[in-house]
Amino acid sequence: MTDKITLVEAVNQALHHAMTNDPDVVVLGEDVGVNGGVFRATQGLKEQFGFRRVMDTPLAEALIAGVSIGMATQGLKPVAEIQFMGFIFPALEQLMCHAARMRNRTRGRLTCPLVVRAPFGGGIHAPEHHSESTEALFAHIPGFRVVIPSSPKRAYGLLLAAIQDPDPVLFFEPKRIYRASKQVVPNDGEPLPLDICFTLKEGHDVTLISWGASVQETLQAAKQLEETGISAEVIDLASIKPIDYDTILASVQKTGRCVIVHEAARTGAVSADIAAEISYHAAVELEAPVERVTGYDITMPYYRMEQYYIPSKGDIINAVNKTMEQA
């Protein structure tokens, strides 16, 4: 029987499978080799695949991105690790101005099959620059796919799909749930489809949409709401860019209500885009305005205040009850 594994172990398993079956897949980043990565996502890879395919780099994110783009345009499939999302900004010029534009700039002559992995979000009592949740920033840039898993199974399948994608994928891993739960994840090399969301629970009174670590609180809220007679449908967005609006609109047209939950700051968030699309395409079916439960427009607080920033189960239940009061 296959053992259950955590989300970070599922990332390691996917990398191991991809590297075993495709000699073009290489891994690079700070401490990914000898130390196995800051969260041990790459543990054991250097011992098995050697230093030519698992490369420790200097502490230089722009270099990591630039070298990866060069590799990708010349036939390799680099998987670059940025230790924390808050460290990715020195690499933005390379990613935004080169990786994201490669297919367009060369009129399809070159693609950029690059995956950039980065842990993101709060909840582990980390210092400044270690708890960012700026996925909306990257979703705004044409040329990127932005993917966020919320369970070990989806981490494994979506990472394999990202590695196989011919264009750049930003793969943000919710570190708060790296080791929060375990699942049996068959190491069968089966990718999950990109660009779709996953319906985790069927319901008929309200649609709850979330991604990353917040999916956990959203599922807990749905369970508690069920005990009060409110049937919530729970959708894991998974692909932040592009967004699977077919699934979202079908659900909202069925339930008539929607609450979107995420830990990123409120202004300019992905939830605002989803709410606008729902309002445009499902206005007739909506029985209440779309509610958003989000983080705040401030820097993520230090650990003593972190719990007040991250949306809680109670926050989600309150938002759902607010929508239910409007009929």
Side-chain angles (χ1 to χ4, degrees), residues 86-159:
F87 298 172
I88 203 171
F89 303 109
L92 254 186
E93 195 275 336
Q94 290 287 344
L95 295 173
M96 183 174 175
C97 299
H98 301 286
R101 294 167 180 258
M102 192 61 68
R103 181 184 286 276
N104 180 272
R105 173 177 290 162
T106 64
R107 303 299 184 264
R109 188 173 59 84
L110 293 178
T111 59
C112 191
L114 159 67
V115 177
V116 177
R117 297 180 38 251
F120 87 109
I124 65 163
H125 298 174
E128 190 180 8
H129 295 302
H130 291 67
S131 302
E132 268 71 3
S133 185
T134 54
E135 61 269 25
L137 172 64
F138 298 93
H140 185 70
I141 300 169
F144 284 141
R145 278 188 164 83
V146 182
V147 177
I148 297 179
S150 67
S151 72
K153 282 185 179 177
R154 284 188 287 285
Y156 178 81
L158 291 173
L159 182 54

Side-chain angles (χ1 to χ4, degrees), residues 61-73:
E61 285 76 15
L63 175 147
I64 295 170
V67 168
S68 297
I69 293 166
M71 289 177 171
T73 59

Side-chain angles (χ1 to χ4, degrees), residues 194-206:
L194 300 176
D195 309 344
I196 70 160
C197 36
F198 299 87
T199 301
L200 306 182
K201 177 184 174 302
E202 300 280 348
H204 52 75
D205 290 325
V206 60

Side-chain angles (χ1 to χ4, degrees), residues 8 12 15 27-47 50-51 53-61 63-64 79-84 87 117 119 130:
V8 71
N12 181 276
L15 290 171
V27 169
L28 69 159
E30 298 155 13
D31 297 327
V32 298
V34 174
N35 289 334
V38 66
F39 289 101
R40 305 297 180 259
T42 56
Q43 194 164 38
L45 298 181
K46 184 167 185 175
E47 288 77 1
F51 69 94
R53 295 185 65 195
V54 183
M55 290 161 271
D56 281 316
T57 68
L59 200 159
E61 285 76 15
L63 175 147
I64 295 170
V79 182
E81 178 177 300
I82 303 294
Q83 286 194 337
F84 293 88
F87 298 172
R117 297 180 38 251
H130 291 67

